Amino acid sequence: MSRREPLAPMISPDVAPGAVRSPKTAELVARTLRRMVVEGQLKDGDFLPHEAELMAHFQVSRPTLREAVRVLESERLVEVRRGSRTGARVRVPGAEIVARPAALLLALSGTTLADVLTARTAIEPPAAKLLAQDGTAEAHPELRELVEDIPRAWKAGTLATATARLHRRMVELSGNATLGMIAGMLHEIDERHTAAALLGADNKAVISEAEFSKMLKSYRKLADLVEARKGDAAESHWRRHMEVAGAAMLRGHEKTRVRDIMD
């Protein structure tokens, strides 16, 4: 159940009641609340303290406080249900908060799918090495599970979604938050490109049984190397996989741009 904590214990000692005095008061209040989310004092699903408590603590008016909440709402850090008595609820965002703007910028700049693939080939092999060397006890089994889900997805017609998720999660499971964020930003582009490469004009899979078996074998080898904690071998294998798979995915899409596959 979501909780609503008293405000005083959550405010750090250096933020004294009534200390927010500035022409940009709403932004300063938003900054303090934002820091509480970043530092984990307010967690995903928590409600912000009641308006009266926040107003008393910051010594601000209701319009100023609501302006601060709107700032956080625009950043997707809180969710406000209009007309609800429960107030603003913290929503810690994932990579999706930057994925759409990033895709839009790539589309506006005329970026090609080849360009995106080059970037992915630069980040995924090192991530495979990190996952092999430093991956947690939970990370390695999750990668294996994602790999073994591929045959089911092949039969269900959801191969593009399953493979795109495997690529993204492999990077996220590496433990490097920056690489994981980049992978999340590129995920939708990757999934749409994969779907376009795997499906023909009649929306039927164009990948053959032999090609699928080769791809699955490569995925399983990655999982084997990761579980054996062979970092260098995992990186080398995944680089070769990305280069071979990338060349196949770009056939017929050599000049396709991000804007051509996005809504």
Side-chain angles (χ1 to χ4, degrees), residues 131 142 146 164-174:
L131 176 55
E142 182 176 342
L146 289 167
R165 174 170 171 73
L166 188 153
H167 281 259
R168 174 182 177 176
R169 284 299 291 157
M170 188 275 293
V171 179
E172 292 173 339
L173 291 170
S174 74

Side-chain angles (χ1 to χ4, degrees), residues 10 15 18 41 49 59 84 98 112 133 144 158 164 169 192 199 204 246 249 257 263:
M10 294 192 294
V15 183
Q41 295 169 306
Q59 296 185 11
S84 171
V98 290
T112 62
Q133 293 180 338
R144 175 68 69 178
T158 58
R169 284 299 291 157
R192 289 180 181 237
L199 298 177
K204 293 183 178 180
M249 288 179 63
R257 298 165 298 180
D263 292 335

Side-chain angles (χ1 to χ4, degrees), residues 126-127 130-131 134 170-183:
L130 288 172
L131 176 55
D134 306 322
M170 188 275 293
V171 179
E172 292 173 339
L173 291 170
S174 74
N176 186 288
T178 304
L179 291 179
M181 182 65 69
I182 296 172

Side-chain angles (χ1 to χ4, degrees), residues 120-121 123-129 143 147 163 166-167 170-171 215 218-223 225 232-244:
R120 291 179 53 221
T121 302
I123 69 171
E124 289 195 25
K129 180 177 181 178
L143 177 66
V147 169
T163 57
L166 188 153
H167 281 259
M170 188 275 293
V171 179
M215 178 182 70
S218 180
Y219 285 154
R220 284 174 170 161
K221 182 175 181 179
L222 173 67
L225 292 170
D232 290 335
E235 180 178 18
S236 296
H237 169 69
W238 203 240
R239 190 175 304 281
R240 289 193 300 272
H241 175 94
M242 292 292 294
E243 290 170 350
V244 173

Side-chain angles (χ1 to χ4, degrees), residues 105-233:
L105 288 174
L106 290 173
L108 289 171
S109 65
T111 303
T112 62
L113 296 182
D115 187 282
V116 174
L117 264 173
T118 297
R120 291 179 53 221
T121 302
I123 69 171
E124 289 195 25
K129 180 177 181 178
L130 288 172
L131 176 55
Q133 293 180 338
D134 306 322
T136 65
E138 295 78 19
H140 291 181
E142 182 176 342
L143 177 66
R144 175 68 69 178
E145 184 178 341
L146 289 167
V147 169
E148 296 307 326
D149 187 54
I150 295 297
R152 182 202 61 77
W154 162 252
K155 293 179 181 179
T158 58
L159 185 59
T161 298
T163 57
R165 174 170 171 73
L166 188 153
H167 281 259
R168 174 182 177 176
R169 284 299 291 157
M170 188 275 293
V171 179
E172 292 173 339
L173 291 170
S174 74
N176 186 288
T178 304
L179 291 179
M181 182 65 69
I182 296 172
M185 287 167 54
L186 300 178
H187 174 74
E188 186 176 3
I189 298 172
D190 175 27
E191 184 174 351
R192 289 180 181 237
H193 180 190
T194 303
L198 294 181
L199 298 177
D202 56 357
N203 209 37
K204 293 183 178 180
V206 296
I207 182 174
S208 67
E209 290 278 357
E211 290 170 326
F212 173 75
S213 296
K214 184 177 180 180
M215 178 182 70
L216 181 59
K217 182 179 179 181
S218 180
Y219 285 154
R220 284 174 170 161
K221 182 175 181 179
L222 173 67
D224 290 341
L225 292 170
V226 165
E227 289 173 355
R229 295 198 177 274
K230 296 181 178 179
D232 290 335

Side-chain angles (χ1 to χ4, degrees), residues 12 26 35 51 60 109 127 243:
S12 57
R35 186 168 66 245
E51 272 191 348
V60 296
S109 65
E243 290 170 350

